Amino acid sequence: MATDPRVPTRTRSLAPLRAVFSVAAMSMMLLCAALPERVGAYVLEGPHVLDLSAKAMGRIAALRVNQKLLVYPRTPEEAPTVFDETAIYVMPERFRSDIASERIQRTHLVFADSSLTVIDGRTAVGENRFDLYQRLLRSRSRPRLIRTLNQLGVETAISSLGRLDERVVFVLGARYPDESVSQLAIDKETFLPVRLLLVEGDAEAAGPSLEIFYDNWQKVQSGWFPFQVRFTVNGRLAREIRVADLRVNPSLPSALMDLEALKASVAANSADTPQGQKQEAVEAVQQAVEDFQKKFE
């Protein structure tokens, strides 16, 4: 068969090979887009991600937040119980939340690594896992983010790429899609935290998981703050926080954020109670504590 002298034989022989390489390259690009977690070479290291996240969240000195706390029942047919809650952030060490209703009076106060919860004038024993959401919001530097996450059981040296709903996220603490260990998901575009997963126990005997979703981030002076926080337990919506309004750098009495002052107040109220009424009061408060905690299980 005659060969067209106008087309070099070498060029014609390479054309099918180039087509194969083009198809292979396109397939690889599509695979990388569909499975970002597999492209380990492009994953930023955990401390670098947290550095960018801290810069994205920005600096906020103090906040007073008026918010609605919705506690959802186990049966979806029932309406949630709604509490008016005030939350105060004094970055980075202090946090206080107050619920005052006809059903219960509750104060939760945090200073550094110490905390105290008072329900109906009596100290409650043990920390409620639902109160942990604010730790991340107070951590706005890389060292503090690393410290906070390590305390919550997140291994910040591990990072991977994954998907959460329709967004690509950095996953710190796990190799996506592993959800058997505690981890934090950070939006790849905004570098804002979007989900904190807390798992009790180890990978072989994992207990109930608590997911905390940080939604609707809004600009607050030189920083960002989520106006909605959702909590799910083993996939079930258990509670939700909706910010009604907030005030930046409010004037706060010093005793309001003082852990020792709150302890002294509890002790004084207990001392003022007549001896004959103390046992009944303790039993009533204990029942109130148990009823309140059951709402969050």
Side-chain angles (χ1 to χ4, degrees), residues 3 9 29 33 46 50 52 60 64 88 93 96 111 146 183 197 224 235 249 252 257 281 286 292 295:
T3 303
T9 304
M29 292 176 62
L50 293 177
L52 295 173
I60 300 175
R64 186 185 188 101
I88 300 174
E93 297 285 355
R96 174 173 177 144
F111 173 58
I146 292 175
Q183 56 195 263
L197 172 62
W224 291 79
N249 299 330
L252 301 171
M257 307 299 290
Q286 184 60 37
F292 186 78
K295 294 180 180 297

Side-chain angles (χ1 to χ4, degrees), residues 136-209:
L136 192 67
L137 300 178
R138 290 188 291 116
S139 303
R140 293 173 177 260
S141 67
R142 184 175 75 172
R144 184 162 289 274
L145 275 171
I146 292 175
R147 180 172 178 269
T148 295
L149 291 172
N150 287 341
Q151 289 177 337
L152 293 174
V154 177
E155 179 51 71
T156 54
I158 300 175
S159 64
S160 60
L161 273 176
R163 286 191 181 276
L164 183 64
D165 297 328
E166 297 300 321
R167 73 183 88 187
V168 179
V169 295
F170 290 103
V171 179
L172 302 189
R175 300 295 182 188
Y176 180 85
D178 179 19
E179 294 194 343
S180 64
V181 294
S182 297
Q183 56 195 263
L184 174 67
I186 295 176
D187 190 291
K188 185 176 180 293
E189 298 298 325
T190 66
F191 285 98
L192 294 172
V194 291
R195 185 187 73 156
L196 176 63
L197 172 62
L198 301 177
V199 179
E200 291 185 350
D202 53 31
E204 296 181 357
S209 64

